[in-house]
Amino acid sequence: MNFAEKFKTLMNNLSANADFLVAFIAGVVLFTVLYYILIKFLFDNNSGWLVAGFTLLAISAAFVFAVLRIDGALFLILPAVFFVCITVLFSVELKRIVWARRNLKLADVKKGDGRSYDEEKVDNCISEIIKALQNMSKSDTGAIIVLSTDNVPSQIIDSGVKLDSDISSELIESVFFPKTPLHDGAMIINDTRIVAAGCFLPLSQNMDNIPKDLGTRHRAGIGITETIDVVSLIVSEETGIISIVKGGKITRYADSGMLRKTLTRYYWKELESARK
Amino acid sequence: MIEENKNIIPEENESKAIKFWKRVGYGALALFLALITVTVVCL
């Protein structure tokens, strides 16, 4: 049968056979959902050109299949191969999505989750972290602090020394004081506790986009944010510049206002979302 | 990649209308691709 006859048969089946029609619609809905997720993911990761390429490929393949009368089931190889390619190309971004967890913040405290910190304690934590960063910036003391939402993999925390202590500027500055055992690693903060220090972080894979004057500490701070939904606060040992990193993007020359906004958002994000 | 001294918190700089029409566009494209896929498979 040629393409026209096949298409006519398909239309006849759809109109005459209710089961076939239901199966057809179910297939269209399922593939629509799958393609929607894929298209949104690609556009969110600045890869809309891949969507255009796949669309052209799909249309071209459909014509080839129709003209050459190839078995239609083989057409499924095209989206399958495309999904596999996306998984390989965007493994870091997919890893970040898989490891993302809900924040347990004050919104849950208000619902009676049992946590025992309040606004005053959070403000104190924010002030202590900012004070420590500014003091370390003045003295050109290198530091990297990761603000986690209980989503840092255990192997990263286990690579350092667990502290489980309250947040204080004195402790933070002591940890990063040069030549101390824990100064050459990252500090992990989760809510109002310092979880660990001296932790080793994965380096950024974006070799081309990071300037050469940023060292391993910055690459580590960028790398962890590419993999997990965390915020890194970095103090440069060479220049004392404070940087904020989120989602693989670094903002340098952060002042106290930006730090306070970042930390406030880190502690209160879920509360704001719960209020909306 | 690097933003010098700018607010890194991704503010909502797209209007809700633009976001809505973007989603409609994604959905329409997804539906088009799904129709092609299922039709070719069923032929």
Side-chain angles (χ1 to χ4, degrees):
Chain A
M1 279 195 292
N2 62 22
F3 171 71
E5 286 169 357
K6 274 190 175 180
F7 192 77
K8 201 174 174 185
T9 307
L10 174 65
M11 290 295 115
N12 288 337
N13 283 339
L14 283 173
S15 55
N17 191 337
D19 291 339
F20 187 78
L21 178 65
V22 168
F24 186 88
I25 292 172
V28 169
V29 168
L30 177 64
F31 273 98
T32 301
V33 170
L34 286 172
Y35 282 133
Y36 179 84
I37 293 170
L38 181 67
I39 290 167
K40 189 166 185 311
F41 175 79
L42 288 174
F43 272 104
D44 286 347
N45 286 282
N46 299 318
S47 300
W49 62 272
L50 276 174
V51 175
F54 177 73
T55 304
L56 285 172
L57 198 60
I59 295 171
S60 310
F63 273 115
V64 168
F65 270 70
V67 168
L68 295 183
R69 303 176 197 178
I70 301 173
D71 185 10
L74 293 175
F75 186 81
L76 290 174
I77 294 175
L78 181 65
V81 169
F82 191 68
F83 280 124
V84 169
C85 291
I86 295 302
T87 306
V88 171
L89 287 172
F90 293 94
S91 58
V92 173
E93 288 79 3
L94 286 169
K95 211 186 295 183
R96 192 190 308 154
I97 292 169
V98 168
W99 280 352
R101 295 192 195 172
R102 268 189 77 78
N103 292 342
L104 285 175
K105 294 291 188 281
L106 290 177
D108 293 306
V109 173
K110 298 291 182 192
K111 291 173 192 169
D113 219 28
R115 294 198 174 208
S116 57
Y117 59 81
D118 54 10
E119 291 184 30
E120 191 179 330
K121 185 165 184 178
V122 168
D123 284 343
N124 187 53
C125 289
I126 292 172
S127 299
E128 291 293 310
I129 293 171
I130 292 174
K131 185 179 164 189
L133 288 169
Q134 290 180 325
N135 287 342
M136 289 189 290
S137 174
K138 282 179 204 165
S139 59
D140 291 344
T141 303
I144 174 167
I145 299 174
V146 175
L147 305 176
S148 84
T149 54
D150 204 21
N151 57 351
V152 174
S154 57
Q155 61 261 30
I156 290 179
I157 295 176
D158 292 341
S159 68
V161 174
K162 290 181 185 169
L163 297 178
D164 190 25
S165 69
D166 287 334
I167 295 174
S168 70
S169 62
E170 292 85 1
L171 178 57
I172 296 172
E173 290 172 55
S174 298
V175 164
F176 288 110
F177 192 78
K179 306 257 173 86
T180 59
L182 298 178
H183 83 283
D184 197 20
M187 173 179 285
I188 312 292
I189 288 180
N190 188 36
D191 288 348
T192 58
R193 306 289 291 173
I194 298 176
V195 176
C199 300
F200 293 107
L201 305 179
L203 298 183
S204 171
Q205 301 301 311
N206 283 323
M207 296 300 181
D208 298 325
N209 291 337
I210 301 176
K212 299 281 189 279
D213 62 326
L214 295 182
T216 309
R217 180 176 283 112
H218 288 81
R219 289 180 187 272
I222 294 169
I224 188 72
T225 64
E226 288 172 345
T227 314
I228 313 167
D229 185 19
V230 294
V231 175
S232 293
L233 306 173
I234 307 170
V235 181
S236 171
E237 189 175 4
E238 287 79 24
T239 59
I241 296 170
I242 302 174
S243 304
I244 304 172
V245 188
K246 183 170 172 65
K249 291 180 72 176
I250 183 170
T251 301
R252 305 181 75 184
Y253 305 96
D255 55 19
S256 63
M258 290 175 65
L259 288 171
R260 183 162 291 277
K261 192 166 184 179
T262 301
L263 285 160
T264 303
R265 186 170 171 125
Y266 163 69
Y267 279 106
W268 296 93
K269 186 168 71 171
E270 285 301 301
L271 185 59
E272 287 171 7
S273 301
R275 280 178 181 164
K276 283 179 186 172
Chain B
M1 175 75 187
I2 295 180
E3 295 177 8
E4 300 284 344
N5 204 22
K6 282 182 189 169
N7 189 349
I8 62 149
I9 297 165
E11 298 293 347
E12 295 289 322
N13 53 8
E14 276 186 350
S15 71
K16 286 188 177 173
I18 293 174
K19 269 190 172 179
F20 171 74
W21 285 113
K22 265 190 175 178
R23 286 184 180 170
V24 169
Y26 296 161
L29 183 57
L31 182 62
F32 174 67
L33 288 170
L35 277 170
I36 290 178
T37 304
V38 178
T39 302
V40 173
V41 169
C42 289
L43 281 177

